[in-house]
Amino acid sequence: FQGIFVLGLPYTLLHSGYSGLFLIILAAALCCYTGKILVACLYEENEDGQLIRVRHTYEDIANACCKKLSPKLGGVVVNVTQVMELIMTCILYLVVSGNLLSHSFSYVPGTEKTWSVIAFVTLLPCVFIKTLKIVSKLSQLCSLVHFIIILVVMTYCLTQIHQWSWAKFRLSIDFEEFLVSIGVIIFSYTSQIFLPTLESNMKNPGEFRCMLNWTHFFACVLKTAFALTAFLTWGEETKEVITDNLPSFLQTLVNLCLLTKALLSYPLPFFAATEIVYACLSRGNHSNYRSPLFALGVKGSFLLLTLLMATFIPQFALLMGLTGSVTGAAMSFLLPSLFHLKLKWKKLCFLEKCADISIFILGFLCSLAGIVCSIKGLLEVFG
């Protein structure tokens, strides 16, 4: 939840004002809710009224919803969407790593693409990751580095508390900039892709809902505190990535921490994407598809693909925005609410049905707005 998007939250407050603070809280509540209903779709009641896990993945849920139309259609759509989003996330981390390295070592000759290749070399051991436990250890380290970054930025902001003024908040908003703010805030919370796997790997899956409540609560508190203190410090001068506002002596330290965070963040989406593809390919009876060597080949191919796309795709940020608007909103809002309505309709009360329908409509509008803004940006870039 505390990804690189968090560094853009103070900038969103510049464009969304008081409504941005409300959106940070609302997005936490909505994403927590859709995470719960998505995992609820993995379970069905048996004859004794006990909940039994009858599905294991996002794909299984999709197939259950689309089985009358086509037994495999839902799973194919979900898998393609998941892999697209995960791969684009991996590419983003490589691009960010190259950018941070080039800024941190500007005195060393080399382009951002060269630095991306160097970052890629450090990520080669990812092909040997076999379990989610290793990924979780790396994610723990990633969280630790992130808290160091937040601590440095907020400590500096608190030293400037004498400059703070609530008058810096805007009451009026620019609609197009407000839409961008919504996208940044919502996508800073998205985790639905990982939740079915995460829940199945928990020591006590019964604690899943409690875990989701607390993680979203603390994420919301940290995001609000961070965005608020940073914006009150720099006001109208707040930059897209808040670390660019820091004095030069702190910028180098924070950039190196961000680089470490980006590299430690890479294994999670990479592992998830390769597991999906490998699971799809190994369902056949061919023994070669089940060999460790084949799994290594799949992971190696994906690793190379992320490097090639990070190196050669022009205007990556806009393409990432377009992909995120389609896949992010779909996986976090549209599909969980749709699947929950489809599988649990008879057991849902009126308020639950209204909540699911409202979230579906909200997700559709956010996705549509993001697509329009991204395409507009692409058209402006390419004339």
Side-chain angles (χ1 to χ4, degrees):
F1 296 139
Q2 302 299 86
I4 288 175
F5 261 133
V6 174
L7 299 174
L9 288 181
Y11 186 73
T12 66
L13 293 188
L14 175 65
H15 295 298
S16 57
Y18 287 102
S19 60
L21 292 175
F22 172 72
L23 283 172
I24 291 174
I25 299 169
L26 179 64
L30 292 179
C31 287
C32 182
Y33 176 75
T34 56
K36 290 177 183 176
I37 62 174
L38 178 67
V39 169
C41 292
L42 298 171
Y43 292 84
E44 295 289 350
E45 287 186 1
N46 62 10
E47 294 176 355
D48 300 324
Q50 296 176 319
L51 287 174
I52 305 295
R53 203 177 205 267
V54 296
R55 306 176 188 100
H56 303 283
T57 62
Y58 212 142
E59 179 189 3
D60 293 339
I61 297 170
N63 283 333
C65 291
C66 300
K67 62 183 179 181
K68 291 183 179 178
L69 185 62
S70 173
K72 301 292 182 182
L73 178 63
V76 170
V77 171
V78 163
N79 281 338
V80 170
T81 307
Q82 284 187 100
V83 171
M84 278 178 61
E85 180 165 329
L86 292 166
I87 288 294
M88 291 302 259
T89 303
C90 289
I91 297 165
L92 178 62
Y93 286 134
L94 268 180
V95 171
V96 167
S97 298
N99 180 272
L100 290 169
L101 278 168
S102 67
H103 281 84
S104 300
F105 303 101
S106 54
Y107 51 86
V108 178
T111 64
E112 286 189 16
K113 291 181 180 180
T114 306
W115 286 112
S116 291
V117 173
I118 293 171
F120 167 79
V121 172
T122 66
L123 293 169
L124 288 174
C126 288
V127 299
F128 301 107
I129 295 176
K130 294 181 179 179
T131 67
L132 199 62
K133 285 185 178 180
I134 297 173
V135 177
S136 70
K137 299 287 185 188
L138 295 173
S139 293
Q140 276 187 318
L141 289 173
C142 178
S143 298
L144 179 62
V145 173
H146 181 83
F147 284 123
I148 292 172
I149 297 168
I150 297 297
L151 183 63
V152 169
V153 176
M154 290 187 69
T155 301
Y156 177 79
C157 291
L158 290 172
T159 64
Q160 307 297 311
I161 197 168
H162 58 279
Q163 299 180 1
W164 289 11
S165 171
W166 286 95
K168 294 176 180 179
F169 271 94
R170 295 166 58 179
L171 292 174
S172 60
I173 58 173
D174 180 279
F175 185 67
E176 191 167 317
E177 291 176 339
F178 180 67
L179 289 177
V180 175
S181 300
I182 292 175
V184 172
I185 291 169
I186 289 175
F187 295 130
S188 72
Y189 282 106
T190 54
S191 63
Q192 280 73 4
I193 286 177
F194 310 108
L195 293 184
T197 304
L198 177 62
E199 192 258 1
S200 67
N201 280 273
M202 287 178 70
K203 275 187 179 180
N204 184 4
E207 295 178 349
F208 175 80
R209 295 175 70 88
C210 180
M211 177 275 293
L212 217 57
N213 288 336
W214 281 110
T215 49
H216 279 80
F217 171 76
F218 283 118
C220 179
V221 170
L222 285 169
K223 287 178 197 293
T224 304
F226 177 73
L228 197 55
T229 54
F231 176 71
L232 287 174
T233 301
W234 287 289
E236 293 292 328
E237 295 178 5
T238 302
K239 296 182 180 179
E240 285 189 59
V241 179
I242 200 61
T243 52
D244 291 340
N245 283 104
L246 291 171
S248 56
F249 71 94
L250 282 178
Q251 265 195 40
T252 303
L253 170 66
V254 172
N255 279 346
L256 290 174
C257 287
L258 281 171
L259 171 65
T260 306
K261 176 177 170 52
L263 295 175
L264 289 171
S265 297
Y266 185 96
L268 178 58
F270 174 78
F271 178 80
T274 52
E275 284 294 294
I276 292 168
V277 173
Y278 181 63
C280 292
L281 293 175
S282 62
R283 281 177 194 152
N285 295 322
H286 204 292
S287 58
N288 289 341
Y289 290 167
R290 298 176 182 273
S291 69
L293 191 62
F294 179 74
L296 202 64
V298 169
K299 292 177 180 179
S301 300
F302 263 70
L303 199 65
L304 190 59
L305 175 65
T306 60
L307 173 67
L308 292 174
M309 292 182 73
T311 306
F312 295 112
I313 290 183
Q315 305 303 328
F316 175 78
L318 287 171
L319 290 173
M320 183 72 189
L322 180 60
T323 306
S325 295
V326 177
T327 62
M331 301 302 291
S332 302
F333 292 104
L334 296 174
L335 296 182
S337 54
L338 184 64
F339 292 163
H340 195 233
L341 286 168
K342 173 70 175 176
L343 294 173
K344 307 289 184 180
W345 179 265
K346 294 180 180 178
K347 297 176 182 177
L348 297 178
C349 67
F350 176 74
L351 287 177
E352 287 174 319
K353 291 177 182 177
C354 288
D356 287 355
I357 293 170
S358 300
I359 290 172
F360 180 86
I361 294 170
L362 178 64
F364 176 77
L365 293 176
C366 287
S367 181
L368 185 63
I371 291 169
V372 170
C373 289
S374 299
I375 291 176
K376 184 180 177 183
L378 285 169
L379 291 174
E380 287 175 356
V381 167
F382 292 107

